[in-house]
Amino acid sequence: MSTRTLIAVLACTAAFHAPVAHADPGAKIACGTTAEDRVTSRSETDVRSQSWLDARVPYSQQSCHQNEYGSYRTDCSGYISMAWGLTHSRTTVTLRDVSSEIPRADLLLGDALVNTNHAALFVRWADDAKSEPVVREQTGPDGAPPVERKWSAATADAYTPVRYHRITEN
């Protein structure tokens, strides 16, 4: 194999294994906004997030869904933005602007698990060891409805637990 061919193969392999960088859909999709981020109770996040499960809102980074809680982008971070009552659909990176990292064992209904590519709303623990969270998430592929499911401890470990700055206890 020639040096030129080897370089081309290595470049292709590196590109295939490189992390996928998601464009910020917030810059392209302008859903409706509210005047300010809401003060939202934990029970309200439960009701608000359940509304998209009940309506089977289809996943898309290019669409908005409007209901009694406002208009939000129908991807994972738009779903968290709606559940928390934010002024607009944030991204997985900018959700951290309105939240703070918390210890994993302190997760409560309405907190979130985030990384740079995905976000999910924490609902409850599936186990006494507090290692397997039950989450609600708006996840692809395009057209898929949001789901509530248990994550493995290994999946949860890839995410940072955060708490919305304006969430209140019931």
Side-chain angles (χ1 to χ4, degrees), residues 125-136:
W125 291 109
D127 62 333
D128 291 337
K130 294 186 175 182
S131 64
E132 297 178 327
V134 174
V135 299
R136 290 182 182 158

Side-chain angles (χ1 to χ4, degrees), residues 139-153:
T139 186
D142 280 356
V147 295
E148 180 175 305
R149 65 176 148 205
K150 179 180 82 164
W151 278 2
S152 69

Side-chain angles (χ1 to χ4, degrees), residues 37-52:
D37 292 339
R38 287 178 47 87
V39 173
T40 306
S41 71
R42 294 192 182 284
S43 61
E44 285 175 308
T45 65
D46 186 38
V47 170
R48 292 169 73 97
S49 65
Q50 184 65 47
S51 73
W52 277 27

Side-chain angles (χ1 to χ4, degrees), residues 41-160:
S41 71
R42 294 192 182 284
S43 61
E44 285 175 308
T45 65
D46 186 38
V47 170
R48 292 169 73 97
S49 65
Q50 184 65 47
S51 73
W52 277 27
L53 270 71
D54 294 343
R56 299 185 53 80
V57 174
Y59 177 90
S60 173
Q61 288 187 334
Q62 309 307 315
S63 298
C64 300
H65 177 73
Q66 180 154 355
N67 66 8
E68 66 270 30
Y69 303 116
S71 178
Y72 294 90
R73 197 177 54 251
T74 60
D75 61 5
C76 63
S77 53
Y79 181 66
I80 302 298
S81 299
M82 179 276 303
W84 286 351
L86 303 182
T87 59
H88 62 281
S89 297
R90 294 202 169 250
T91 66
T92 54
V93 173
T94 63
L95 282 171
R96 292 175 185 253
D97 294 343
V98 295
S99 64
S100 299
E101 187 172 338
I102 61 171
R104 186 170 309 277
D106 291 351
L107 280 165
L108 298 171
L109 172 65
D111 293 332
L113 292 157
V114 300
N115 66 24
T116 57
N117 295 315
H118 189 57
L121 190 72
F122 178 83
V123 179
R124 66 185 174 279
W125 291 109
D127 62 333
D128 291 337
K130 294 186 175 182
S131 64
E132 297 178 327
V134 174
V135 299
R136 290 182 182 158
E137 57 187 326
Q138 182 79 48
T139 186
D142 280 356
V147 295
E148 180 175 305
R149 65 176 148 205
K150 179 180 82 164
W151 278 2
S152 69
T155 298
D157 285 346
Y159 290 80
T160 302

